[in-house]
Amino acid sequence: MRHVIALDVGGTGMKAALVGADGTLLHQDRRPTGRERGPGAVVDAILGFAADLRAHGVEHLGEPAAAAGVAVPGIVDEAAGIAAYAANLGWRDVPLRALLTERLGIPVALGHDVRTGGLAEGRVGAGRGADRFLFVALGTGIAGAIGVDGRVEAGAHGFAGEIGHVVVRPGGTPCPCGQRGCLERFASAAAVSEAWAAACGDPEADAADCAKAVASGDPNAVRVWRQAVDALADGLVTALTLLDPRTLVIGGGLAEAGETLFTPLRDAVRDRVTFQKLPEIVPAALGDTAGCRGAGLLAWDLLNTTDGMEVLT
C-alpha cells in the first residue's frame, strides 16, 4: 500500500504515523526525544525512529514509504530543510532534511510544528473549506499559522504567524523574546497557569484547574480568566485586522476548556471589531494528531506532480 512517513517532533516526545493517500493513519507510534542526552541524541532518535517506520512499512504494507514529512519546533528554514534553532531541544542549524533523505533514500519535507498542525486543521480539520484561515495554538507559548488556499504562509524569513509576540500590553510583563507585554505572557496556557497558581495560593495549580474554577463560579478564577481572554481578544483582533481570515481556529491546551473559553472569547472579539468582518471562531478538530496529519500532507505534496496543491482532500 502506497504511504508516507509523518513525524511530529515535540519538546519531550515524538508522534509518528504511516499515512495513506486518503489520509488514513495506517500505523501510529510514539517515542521520547531523549533530549536529556543532548541535541545530538535527539537527532539520532529522529533518524532511528524514521528508519524503523520505513522498515514497518516494508514489513506490514508491502513497500517502503514514498516520502516523509517532519514537523519540528523552534525556528525552521523550510526551504533549506534546516532546523535552525529550538530552545527546548538544544539544537542549532541541523540539516535535518538532508540527514533524513540520506538515511531513508526518499524525498523529505521539513516544516514548523505549529504551521504544520495548522496546515492539517485548514485542509482536513476545523478550517476545511475556508479559503483564508488563521490557526492559533494556545500552549506553553502562542503561535499561529496563516492559511491561504490550502497552504500555510511561512513568510520571507520563516517567522510568519508568531502572534504570541504581538504586544498587547505595552510596557507589561517581560518576555524572553526581549519585548514587554507580549500576548503569550498573558493568554498562553502557561501564563494562565502561573496567574492562577498565584491567585489561589497553590503552586501546583494550572490552567485546567482555573477553567474548572471558572465553571464553578470562583470569582478569583473568573478574574484571572477574564484577563487572559481580554488579552487574547486584543491579539486576535489585531491579527484579523491584518489578515481578514474567514475562519479562526483555536487549538492547544487552553482550548481544551471548551465553551468556558470560546463563549467569552467570541463575545470579546465581537465587542472589539468595528469595520472588520467577524470570522467564525471554532475549536481545532484534530487534537494531538494535527502535527502528524500535517506532516503527512507535506510528504504527499512532495509526491504530487500536478500542481503541488493538496493531495488529501
Side-chain angles (χ1 to χ4, degrees), residues 50 58 79 170 187 233 248:
V58 172
L248 181 54

Side-chain angles (χ1 to χ4, degrees), residues 110-129:
L110 185 67
H112 180 272
D113 57 351
V114 174
R115 288 197 293 268
T116 301
L119 176 68
E121 285 289 351
R123 287 203 199 169
V124 299
R128 184 171 184 168

Side-chain angles (χ1 to χ4, degrees), residues 12-147:
T12 59
M14 300 181 285
K15 297 183 287 289
L18 299 180
V19 186
D22 63 352
T24 302
L25 302 182
L26 304 170
H27 168 69
Q28 297 182 70
D29 199 0
R30 295 177 183 240
R31 289 187 187 177
T33 60
R35 68 174 183 174
E36 67 279 0
R37 299 192 303 273
V42 175
V43 174
D44 288 343
I46 293 170
L47 296 176
F49 198 7
D52 289 347
L53 290 162
R54 182 186 186 280
H56 184 94
V58 172
E59 181 178 355
H60 296 279
L61 301 176
E63 61 180 299
V70 183
V72 298
I75 299 170
V76 184
D77 185 338
E78 297 173 7
I82 294 173
Y85 175 70
N88 54 359
L89 294 175
W91 65 27
R92 288 183 181 271
D93 298 324
V94 178
L96 198 54
R97 185 174 66 196
L99 292 171
L100 282 162
T101 299
E102 181 180 1
R103 174 67 69 92
L104 300 174
I106 56 176
V108 176
L110 185 67
H112 180 272
D113 57 351
V114 174
R115 288 197 293 268
T116 301
L119 176 68
E121 285 289 351
R123 287 203 199 169
V124 299
R128 184 171 184 168
D131 55 345
R132 302 288 190 278
F133 71 90
L134 176 64
F135 170 71
V136 178
L138 308 174
T140 303
I142 298 178
I146 302 164

Side-chain angles (χ1 to χ4, degrees), residues 279-304:
E280 184 180 13
I281 301 176
V282 298
L286 301 177
D288 70 356
T289 70
C292 269
R293 291 182 181 275
L297 287 164
L298 292 179
W300 281 112
D301 280 354
L302 282 182
L303 299 174
N304 186 346

